[in-house]
Amino acid sequence: MPVVLKSAEELERMRLAGRLASEVLDFITPHVKPGISTGRLNDLSHEYMVKVQGTVPAPLYYAPPGYKPFPKSICTSVNHQVCHGVPGERVLKAGDILNIDITVIKNGYHGDCSRMFYVGEPSIQARRLVDVTFECMWLGIRQVRPGGRLGDIGAAIQAHAESHGFSVVREFCGHGIGRRFHEEPQVLHYGKPATGLMLEPGMTFTVEPMINAGKPGIRELADGWTIVTKDHSLSAQWEHTVAVTESGFEVMTQSNGSQSAPDFAR
Ligand code: MF3
Ligand code: CO
Ligand code: CO
């Protein structure tokens, strides 16, 4: 399937879906505290999406080829969990780091974003990993412009992560997004500058680097979804949905609670 270019009206819908996804993260933020379970974070987010926003939680029963349906409405990935963590009984404790990944559907269009959260006070290493991963996402986003190439995004992310002694997860990547949750192109978080697909106005895709404190290897848990680091090192991820504009990029998944872009990306 080819890369879908979005019209002005479609981009307007993507903006709305994107803001709503980000607002779910704003809503859940004050609940992320020691003693709460990831299942409770799921239930609160689900209620907010369905009852307050009138959005559809895209993960719920999502079943790409080879996967069983995802059983919950959000992904919660704690500590050495890389992505696709399934919310459940696990109770958060001080010192945990947590990614919450939200994807909503509004008027047929998807908005997909995630942030890292600290439960209590993080270790120095955890804080450094989370900060560097945030910078990686923004260094990647900053490469987005017409005539730029997908490899520019991956190369910028990889160089920054590895310069800090961290590693880039290879098995999962950013993705085109629109009417479908995951569409072309694949947006790798590693690569070589000036290679890969050339970017054009109207493309919409995510940038969502997963960065490990240790080695890049991962494995899937028996639940068929949760991905963890093979070496049990900490992992972090941030995600935005972006559009290629005539002059550069537009971040679709921003709201009042979004962390502002680092100085280098403004
Ligand atoms: N939101 C994730 C992404 O960024 C995908 C989650 S798929 C799910 O692509 F089924 F686990 F929700
Ligand atoms: Co995504
Ligand atoms: Co996501």
Side-chain angles (χ1 to χ4, degrees), residues 227-239:
I227 304 297
V228 298
T229 56
K230 236 183 211 159
D231 64 6
H232 277 74
S233 65
L234 285 180
S235 189
Q237 179 178 32
W238 291 82
E239 177 176 25

Side-chain angles (χ1 to χ4, degrees), residues 101 103 112-113 173-175 177 181-182 206 208 239:
D101 193 334
T103 312
D112 185 10
C113 55
C173 56
H175 50 91
I177 182 168
F181 193 163
H182 295 102
T206 70
E208 51 178 303
E239 177 176 25

Side-chain angles (χ1 to χ4, degrees), residues 26 115-117 134 138 238 240 254-262:
D26 297 351
R115 299 181 196 158
M116 293 301 297
F117 295 84
F134 183 72
W138 275 105
W238 291 82
H240 271 312
Q254 271 173 323
S255 60
N256 291 335
S258 298
Q259 280 81 350
S260 47

Side-chain angles (χ1 to χ4, degrees), residues 75-107:
C75 297
T76 52
S77 303
V78 185
N79 295 339
H80 78 298
Q81 297 177 349
V82 174
C83 63
H84 305 167
V86 180
E89 309 282 86
R90 183 180 185 142
V91 173
L92 298 177
K93 58 177 194 331
D96 286 342
I97 62 169
L98 167 72
N99 176 277
I100 302 181
D101 193 334
I102 301 290
T103 312
V104 304
I105 311 170
K106 183 74 172 182
N107 301 328

Side-chain angles (χ1 to χ4, degrees), residues 24 27-49 51 72-76 86-92 98 100 102:
V24 179
F27 160 77
I28 204 64
T29 297
H31 297 282
V32 180
K33 284 189 294 212
I36 196 166
S37 70
T38 54
R40 180 86 182 124
L41 294 173
N42 174 81
D43 296 349
L44 290 166
S45 301
H46 179 94
E47 288 286 299
Y48 185 76
M49 290 185 261
K51 302 233 171 97
K72 297 286 174 176
S73 298
I74 69 173
C75 297
T76 52
V86 180
E89 309 282 86
R90 183 180 185 142
V91 173
L92 298 177
L98 167 72
I100 302 181
I102 301 290

Side-chain angles (χ1 to χ4, degrees), residues 208-221:
E208 51 178 303
M210 285 142 275
I211 306 296
N212 297 348
K215 297 206 175 82
I218 53 127
R219 90 192 155 75
E220 188 182 286
L221 294 189

Side-chain angles (χ1 to χ4, degrees), residues 30 35 43 51 61 67-68 108 157 165 168 198 221 232 242 266:
D43 296 349
K51 302 233 171 97
Y61 311 134
Y67 285 83
K68 50 185 180 184
I157 291 168
V168 177
M198 190 172 286
L221 294 189
H232 277 74
V242 303
R266 264 182 266 159

